[in-house]
Amino acid sequence: MQDNHVALVTGANQGIGLQIAKELAAKNFTVMVGSRDFVRGVEAAKTIDGDARALQLDVTDRASIAAAARRIREELGRLDVLVNNAAISHTGRRPGLTVEEYARSTLASNVSLDELRAVFETNVFGVVAVFQAMLPLLREAPAARIVNVSSGAGSLTMNADPAFPWRSIFGPAYPASKTALNAMTLAMAIELESTGIKVNAASPGFTRTNLNNYSGTETVEEGAREAVRLALLGPDGPTGTFSHANLGRLPW
C-alpha cells in the first residue's frame, strides 16, 4: 500500500471533474482520472501537476467498473476519496440548442423514454454501481470520503417555489436525475454514518462546461470548490448534506 492518499474522480477527463482532479493532486493525492475514453483520460492526466493516472471507467458498464476497482486495489492498495462526477445532461441535444429549448423538448409530456433511461443510467445507476464496487476499498481507509456531484436543479424544495428563477427548466431527465442522486446520497450517508465514512452532495452551480454547451456563468474553478472541500472534510465534518460553495447548505 502506498503512503499517499488516493482519490478516484469519475468523468475527470474534462470540466469540473478535471478541475477536481487537479486540486486533489495539488493536495498530494494520487488521483485516478476516471474516463470512459481511456485516451482522453491519458491526455487529461498529462495536464495535472502531481501523481495523476488515467483509469478507463465507463460508469454504465459493470465490467469496466469491476476492472477499475481491481486496478486500484492491485496498483495502489487503497482508496480514500471517491468523487462521483460523471454525468450527462442529454443524449441527443442538437448543436446550438439552448438549455431552455432543450428543457421544453424534455417535459414530462414529451420526453423520450430512451433519453430518460440513458440519463438515469449514467447519473443515478452509474453512481450506485461505482459506489458499490469501490466501497470495500473505502471501508478499509481510515477516514474515507464520498462526494456526489449533484445540482441545485435537482432540489425539490427550491423548484417547488414559484419564485425560483430556474423552476421552468425542471423536468424528468437531467434535473430529476439529480433529485434521485440526492436521494442516493442520503441513503448512502445513512447506511455509513456509523462507519466514519462521510457522504455528501455538492452543487457546483451553473458552471461553464460541455454539459450545458458552455453557457454557464461560473468557472470550473468555482464549480469544483465545494466538491474539493467535502472531499477533504475532517473528522468533525458533516455527512448527509447537500451544499454549494457560496450558498452553503441547500434544501433537498
Side-chain angles (χ1 to χ4, degrees):
M1 181 183 292
Q2 71 164 38
D3 294 332
N4 281 5
H5 286 182
V6 175
L8 165 61
V9 184
T10 68
N13 58 280
Q14 64 180 348
I16 294 170
L18 177 55
Q19 185 62 32
I20 293 169
K22 288 179 177 179
E23 295 189 25
L24 291 176
K27 298 289 186 181
N28 295 321
F29 276 79
T30 292
V31 181
M32 303 304 289
V33 180
S35 177
R36 183 172 53 185
D37 183 327
F38 182 69
V39 173
R40 292 185 66 190
V42 170
E43 292 304 310
K46 291 177 182 177
T47 71
I48 300 173
D49 290 332
D51 189 359
R53 311 181 191 189
L55 178 70
Q56 198 284 322
L57 178 55
D58 179 347
V59 303
T60 67
D61 184 334
R62 291 185 181 181
S64 173
I65 296 169
R70 284 195 302 272
R71 181 183 163 194
I72 292 171
R73 180 172 291 282
E74 293 169 4
E75 186 174 311
L76 300 168
R78 66 184 296 168
L79 182 62
D80 302 273
V81 169
L82 169 62
V83 180
N84 285 305
N85 168 75
I88 61 172
S89 61
H90 60 88
T91 61
R93 189 168 77 197
R94 297 190 307 276
L97 201 67
T98 68
V99 172
E100 291 78 9
E101 289 168 336
Y102 178 72
R104 288 195 293 272
S105 72
T106 54
L107 298 170
S109 60
N110 63 14
V111 66
S112 158
L113 293 183
D114 288 339
E115 174 89 350
L116 196 61
R117 290 188 182 100
V119 171
F120 269 68
E121 190 67 41
T122 295
N123 297 4
V124 184
F125 302 128
V127 170
V128 176
V130 172
F131 163 78
Q132 290 180 348
M134 302 300 166
L135 188 56
L137 276 162
L138 292 164
R139 285 186 182 276
E140 295 169 18
R145 303 289 179 258
I146 300 170
V147 182
N148 295 331
V149 178
S150 185
S151 170
S155 169
L156 291 179
T157 301
M158 290 194 292
N159 281 289
D161 180 358
F164 184 54
W166 295 102
R167 186 175 192 254
S168 63
I169 67 169
F170 185 81
Y174 178 78
S177 76
K178 293 301 186 177
T179 305
L181 176 61
N182 286 349
M184 298 303 161
T185 302
L186 192 55
M188 294 171 189
I190 290 171
E191 178 183 358
L192 297 175
E193 61 189 354
S194 65
T195 69
I197 300 175
K198 298 182 186 297
V199 189
N200 294 285
S203 170
F206 193 31
T207 308
R208 287 190 293 274
T209 66
N210 184 56
L211 201 72
N212 54 43
N213 283 342
Y214 301 96
S215 61
T217 56
E218 298 183 27
T219 66
V220 290
E221 290 82 4
E222 291 170 320
R225 187 179 305 153
E226 186 65 3
V228 172
R229 184 187 73 83
L230 293 170
L232 300 176
L233 284 177
D236 296 328
T239 190
T241 67
F242 178 31
S243 56
H244 180 275
N246 297 328
L247 301 176
R249 295 280 184 95
L250 298 178
W252 296 111

